[in-house]
């Protein structure tokens, strides 16, 4: 996930384990993967006894059966977040058996909402153009006049849509 150009930084309980490994083995290269589950359990126990358990409550659940990875996105907008979700979907297919990847968070929810609003606006704009055209064609009883009459009615809709798109 961290190799994605969309992600600026990731944080997880593994960062704490990495720092503990570096502190407990001075002068040696810190390991990103510990050699055994027992060593990982010892590090977690050591941290629980010596540190503040609230430091990592965002990364591990109570029974240690789930791990959260927090991804920070630099210059995020809803399109980038939805694109990152697609990349995570690809990672999901490569996940080992028993590992479940879920995309969560309020920012993700807001991004999906903004994406839905944008799609709804485009659909509404297209529907409005078609409706105005049909009403004008029926009222004027002429398709060429309806096309001509459509222009001044549609320009304000496109201007407002363009301003919203340009402003992000």
């Amino acid at each position: 996930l961290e190799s994605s150009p969309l992600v600026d930084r990731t944080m997880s309980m593994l960062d704490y384990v990495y720092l503990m490994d570096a502190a407990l083995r001075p002068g040696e290269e810190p390991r990103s993967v510990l050699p055994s589950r027992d060593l990982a359990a010892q590090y977690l126990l050591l941290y629980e006894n010596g540190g503040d358990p609230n430091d990592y409550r965002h990364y591990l659940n109570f029974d240690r059966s789930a791990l959260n990875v927090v991804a920070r996105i630099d210059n995020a907008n809803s399109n980038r977040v939805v694109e990152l979700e697609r990349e995570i979907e690809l990672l999901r297919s490569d996940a080992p058996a028993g590992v479940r990847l879920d995309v969560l968070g309020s920012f993700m929810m807001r991004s999906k909402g903004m994406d839905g609003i944008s799609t709804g606006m485009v659909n509404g704009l297209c529907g409005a153009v078609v409706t105005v055209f049909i009403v004008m064609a029926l009222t004027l009883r002429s398709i060429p006049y309806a096309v001509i009459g459509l222009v001044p009615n549609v320009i304000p809709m496109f201007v407002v849509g363009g301003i919203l798109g340009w402003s992000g």
Side-chain angles (χ1 to χ4, degrees), residues 121-135 150 153-154 157:
M121 285 182 63
V122 169
N123 292 341
L125 182 64
C126 292
V129 169
V130 169
T131 303
V132 168
F133 176 76
I134 290 171
V135 168
L150 188 65
N153 288 297
V154 171
M157 290 187 279

Side-chain angles (χ1 to χ4, degrees), residues 9-57:
R9 176 135 166 57
T10 61
M11 281 292 296
S12 72
M13 188 62 204
L14 298 176
D15 291 307
Y16 286 94
V17 170
Y18 182 81
L19 290 172
M20 286 184 66
D21 191 54
L24 292 172
R25 300 172 56 238
E28 294 183 42
E29 185 70 26
R31 298 174 286 204
S32 58
V33 177
L34 296 178
S36 71
R37 291 176 63 100
D38 291 338
L39 184 59
Q42 288 176 4
Y43 277 8
L44 287 175
L45 182 63
L46 180 65
Y47 194 83
E48 281 181 357
N49 290 326
D52 183 6
N54 288 327
D55 283 349
Y56 61 84
R57 67 182 164 83

Side-chain angles (χ1 to χ4, degrees), residues 62-74:
F62 180 74
D63 66 352
R64 312 299 188 261
S65 63
L67 172 74
N68 288 334
V69 176
V70 178
R72 189 178 79 187
I73 304 172
D74 199 22

Side-chain angles (χ1 to χ4, degrees), residues 55-153:
D55 283 349
Y56 61 84
R57 67 182 164 83
H58 297 293
Y59 305 114
L60 282 174
N61 67 347
F62 180 74
D63 66 352
R64 312 299 188 261
S65 63
L67 172 74
N68 288 334
V69 176
V70 178
R72 189 178 79 187
I73 304 172
D74 199 22
N75 297 326
N77 61 33
S78 62
N79 292 336
R80 289 175 61 104
V81 172
V82 171
E83 189 177 329
L84 179 62
E85 184 182 23
R86 286 189 198 112
E87 285 187 19
I88 293 171
E89 288 293 327
L90 295 175
L91 291 174
R92 184 176 286 160
S93 63
D94 295 336
V99 174
R100 190 179 86 212
L101 296 175
D102 293 320
V103 181
L104 306 169
S106 59
F107 192 72
M108 180 62 70
M109 298 273 291
R110 282 194 301 268
S111 296
K112 284 183 177 182
M114 290 301 294
D115 199 45
I117 289 171
S118 300
T119 303
M121 285 182 63
V122 169
N123 292 341
L125 182 64
C126 292
V129 169
V130 169
T131 303
V132 168
F133 176 76
I134 290 171
V135 168
M136 300 228 6
L138 292 173
T139 304
L140 299 173
R141 295 184 184 164
S142 169
I143 290 182
Y145 286 151
V147 171
I148 293 169
L150 188 65
V151 173
N153 288 297

